[in-house]
Amino acid sequence: RRPVRAEPDDLVPRFEAGAEQLIDVLRAADQNAPVWTWFPGRQDIGFITRHQVQEAAVHHFDAANAAGKPWSIDPAVAADCLEEFLTCSLGDADDVLRLGRSMSSPIVLTATDIGSSWTVFQADPSAPLLWTPNADGPATVPGTVPDLLLWIYGRVQLPTDEPERVAEFRRLSSTN
């Protein structure tokens, strides 16, 4: 059975209805209920709920940007999205081995609007990428936390004096 193709005027209402349905389902679900997810470190509904916030935020930016419209996100939500990315999308030991890549030194993402920072590092060249809150050195990439979220997904450019270290980070993280 083929899906019914929506008329152009129905696309936005259908999308909104689907989004509302997803919100209702996730809100009513037991967040601790076990389910398969793509991230081995977290196999529960709570992971899906948290990740959907990040997905919605970044793709909302994509749509707003394409339409020439403003976009904003609460800084606390953006910070949680950034931490969810750092927890789930940095290269693990298998990635480091398979790709034959490592980081020469840590990078520090610094949120200029909320006074927070995150340091991404490797314990040694064959270790997975890890992160810790708080700066371990000067900012490698400074920006507001919403801009850092968009930067980590390659949606915006932010200034850096360390383009090679940023490139090392990008080669070992899922930033698309």
Side-chain angles (χ1 to χ4, degrees):
R1 183 175 150 183
R2 296 181 67 189
V4 177
R5 187 172 179 97
E7 294 299 320
D9 290 345
D10 293 336
L11 291 176
V12 171
R14 283 180 106 180
F15 175 82
E16 289 172 341
E20 287 296 324
Q21 184 180 13
L22 177 62
I23 290 167
D24 291 344
V25 167
L26 291 175
R27 189 174 282 145
D30 174 359
Q31 298 298 299
N32 295 313
V35 296
W36 180 91
T37 72
W38 57 264
F39 179 59
R42 184 119 187 247
Q43 299 285 305
D44 59 27
I45 295 287
F47 171 80
I48 294 169
T49 301
R50 185 179 188 201
H51 191 71
Q52 285 304 305
V53 173
Q54 177 182 310
E55 288 281 338
V58 172
H59 293 305
H60 179 209
F61 168 81
D62 293 337
N65 187 51
K69 302 288 184 183
W71 173 87
S72 66
I73 185 173
D74 179 272
V77 173
D80 187 66
C81 290
L82 184 65
E83 289 185 2
E84 195 264 359
F85 175 91
L86 294 173
T87 300
C88 304
S89 299
L90 297 179
D92 62 18
D94 291 338
D95 295 329
V96 171
L97 178 64
R98 179 177 47 81
L99 297 170
R101 297 178 177 156
S102 63
M103 290 178 56
S104 58
S105 58
I107 68 165
V108 177
L109 310 177
T110 301
T112 57
D113 55 341
I114 63 171
S116 295
S117 61
W118 301 266
T119 301
V120 179
F121 64 96
Q122 280 182 289
D124 66 64
S126 63
L129 270 63
L130 302 171
W131 72 277
T132 183
N134 302 315
D136 185 16
T140 310
V141 181
T144 65
V145 71
D147 283 346
L148 287 171
L149 174 63
L150 295 175
W151 174 84
I152 211 161
Y153 277 100
R155 287 350 194 239
V156 300
Q157 296 294 316
L158 291 176
T160 183
D161 293 333
E162 302 286 343
E164 286 304 313
R165 287 195 304 162
V166 167
E168 290 171 349
F169 164 78
R170 291 230 182 262
R171 287 191 294 261
L172 284 168
S173 56
S174 301
T175 60
N176 46 0

